[in-house]
Amino acid sequence: MTKGVLLFCFDTPEFKYHKILEKCVALIRKNLKLQVTVVTNFDTYKHLKPLGFVNYKFIDPEMGNKKNGLEWRNVDRHMAYELSPYDTTLVMDIDYFTFTDNLRQFVDTKYDFLISKNAYDLTNRNSFDTRKNSMIDMVWATVFVFKKGNKAKRIFDMVKYVKQYYAYFMDLYRVRDRRFRNDYAFAIALEQANGMITYETLPITLPTLPPDCKVLKMDDEGIAWQYNDQINYTCDQDVHVLNKGMANV
Amino acid sequence: MDIGELKKQSDVSYDIAVAKRNALEKAHARLVMVYNEHIFLADPQTINLVKTLSEAHTSPFYMLDTNNNPVEISEPKEFLQILIKRNQEAISSYHQMSKTFEKRGD
């Protein structure tokens, strides 16, 4: 049984995501000690510094999605099943930094597909209460684990179907956010594929820094950030950073 | 006390509240563990249940994981030791952090 981490990384004209990837891979290697495969394009790859033994899969990212008026290349997550070379895969956003080995154990479960429904705001403002934004629970496609087999394949096939008719499903589930979001594509697919009742989840809450927090410093142990005139620090705790300016830290 | 001092105290209180919440969440994250391909929380409820069943029931016994799926526990002593170790690792780390909050709040 092969196990590894799958990451997606595409630079945009505004953000050098490859800089974030470099930090992410170093922490995976240190704390999760799993093989890494990066899905990217050549334009991003040529800017990467040598990352040691990393597998690369080259694709042309699907364009057209935007966030705050800027290019947002996040639409290819539905291909994780086909792109992963592993039997069990941990898929992560590159802005999720693993300062612990907490995620490592989830590649050793019997479950075919696990994803988390919860995130919490590291600034203590409770800004990730997404329940009021749609008729169904949102999931966080930031981190999920799947084991290749019929069940996981069905879920990914359903994600592809939801993506194809995304506008319809947004209306059906009254999702406020009209941009394509993997979080809702996976939430809807899991709802549909599991008979609209319930599905198995990762019992973790993703520690998340909101976009209005500026990352001041990051090392092997943790992250320091500024929110308004307050500076805080956390160490030995995984962190999902939403402010992409951290590429330059 | 002037307003500047009050603002300073308020900022310190905010810092402590954020750090305390994050330390608690960190402890909760560490309580999540995988055993026998299933996910459990190394919390007091699980520890007490495993201890009670291991004393009052012949092994193997059965319990639910975090997704409410039944799991056969054939090595209760081993499982209990792992649960306790994980619980104390998480809570002792939180205890160390809380000492620093007390100092900052003085």
Side-chain angles (χ1 to χ4, degrees):
Chain A
M1 284 284 282
T2 55
K3 298 165 187 176
V5 181
L6 188 71
L7 306 167
F8 289 78
C9 177
F10 302 102
D11 281 353
T12 65
E14 291 80 20
F15 294 113
K16 295 173 179 172
Y17 283 97
H18 71 274
K19 296 259 184 196
I20 302 176
L21 174 74
E22 289 167 0
K23 295 176 171 65
C24 179
V25 169
L27 287 168
I28 291 170
R29 189 156 283 141
K30 178 179 176 231
N31 294 315
L32 301 187
K33 297 180 172 62
L34 289 166
Q35 290 184 43
V36 178
T37 295
V38 177
V39 179
T40 187
N41 57 357
F42 190 71
D43 283 345
T44 306
Y45 174 76
K46 69 185 180 189
H47 292 114
L48 277 170
K49 69 179 186 187
L51 296 176
F53 186 76
V54 170
N55 303 305
Y56 291 97
K57 298 253 180 175
F58 293 97
I59 65 168
D60 290 325
E62 187 179 326
M63 311 292 262
N65 205 29
K66 287 189 183 295
K67 186 177 186 179
N68 302 327
L70 303 175
E71 190 70 39
W72 192 23
R73 296 174 183 171
N74 71 325
V75 189
D76 305 297
R77 194 68 57 95
H78 65 94
M79 297 196 292
Y81 189 95
E82 290 80 13
L83 290 168
S84 173
Y86 311 115
D87 297 318
T88 304
T89 307
L90 170 65
V91 182
M92 281 172 36
D93 279 3
I94 55 169
D95 53 12
Y96 191 85
F97 299 104
T98 54
F99 293 104
T100 73
D101 64 355
N102 287 350
L103 291 182
R104 172 68 180 79
Q105 59 187 341
F106 298 122
V107 296
D108 295 322
T109 75
K110 67 179 263 304
Y111 291 102
D112 296 295
F113 193 97
L114 289 169
I115 195 164
S116 175
K117 283 187 176 180
N118 302 308
Y120 86 91
D121 181 344
L122 280 162
T123 63
N124 219 347
R125 286 178 288 160
N126 294 326
S127 44
F128 301 115
D129 178 12
T130 58
R131 189 62 195 87
K132 61 184 182 297
N133 296 332
S134 70
M135 284 174 62
I136 53 167
D137 289 344
M138 193 188 88
V139 297
W140 287 85
T142 309
V143 172
F144 61 89
V145 185
F146 70 89
K147 193 180 286 186
K148 283 192 177 175
N150 290 338
K151 187 172 177 184
K153 180 74 168 63
R154 273 200 302 274
I155 291 168
F156 278 97
D157 285 348
M158 187 61 81
V159 174
K160 287 179 172 61
Y161 185 81
V162 171
K163 179 176 170 290
Q164 190 178 352
Y165 299 103
Y166 196 66
Y168 167 76
F169 282 107
M170 291 297 94
D171 289 339
L172 181 66
Y173 289 109
R174 298 181 197 170
V175 179
R176 279 191 193 169
D177 195 341
R178 307 307 290 181
R179 302 166 297 181
F180 179 83
R181 284 187 66 175
N182 288 303
D183 304 321
Y184 281 112
F186 277 84
I188 292 166
L190 284 162
E191 181 87 359
Q192 295 274 331
N194 288 287
M196 276 70 82
I197 299 175
T198 184
Y199 47 88
E200 284 142 354
T201 56
L202 273 177
I204 59 172
T205 305
L206 306 180
T208 304
L209 266 185
D212 56 3
C213 293
K214 183 182 177 190
V215 175
L216 301 177
K217 189 183 174 193
M218 179 175 160
D219 57 24
D220 285 354
E221 308 296 325
I223 276 184
W225 70 88
Q226 181 175 4
Y227 165 64
N228 284 343
D229 59 348
Q230 304 284 335
I231 294 174
N232 288 92
Y233 177 75
T234 185
C235 63
D236 301 326
Q237 180 177 35
D238 297 350
V239 180
H240 182 205
V241 179
L242 296 182
N243 186 328
K244 305 305 173 249
M246 69 90 51
N248 303 318
V249 175
Chain B
M1 190 179 282
D2 65 20
I3 191 69
E5 186 61 24
L6 284 171
K7 168 77 166 65
K8 194 175 155 191
Q9 285 301 319
S10 175
D11 287 348
V12 170
S13 297
Y14 171 83
D15 284 349
I16 292 171
V18 169
K20 190 173 178 182
R21 167 85 200 275
N22 291 339
L24 185 59
E25 288 289 348
K26 187 160 65 175
H28 282 152
R30 201 61 191 160
L31 293 180
V32 181
M33 54 166 272
V34 172
Y35 178 78
N36 207 4
E37 297 189 317
H38 288 263
I39 305 173
F40 295 94
L41 290 181
D43 60 2
Q45 187 181 345
T46 312
I47 290 170
N48 285 335
L49 178 64
V50 172
K51 182 160 173 54
T52 303
L53 288 173
S54 64
E55 287 172 357
H57 194 283
T58 53
S59 65
F61 59 78
Y62 303 88
M63 55 186 293
L64 303 180
D65 69 2
T66 56
N67 282 304
N68 287 326
N69 288 310
V71 190
E72 179 181 307
I73 306 294
S74 53
E75 299 286 346
K77 281 186 182 170
E78 176 199 70
F79 185 33
L80 186 59
Q81 280 174 359
I82 294 169
L83 284 168
I84 291 172
K85 187 179 171 195
R86 195 60 173 255
N87 177 277
Q88 284 306 295
E89 179 194 331
I91 305 301
S92 69
S93 173
Y94 182 45
H95 179 255
Q96 282 179 345
M97 284 296 291
S98 71
K99 291 283 181 196
T100 64
F101 307 148
E102 286 168 17
K103 284 180 192 162
R104 291 175 69 188
D106 285 343

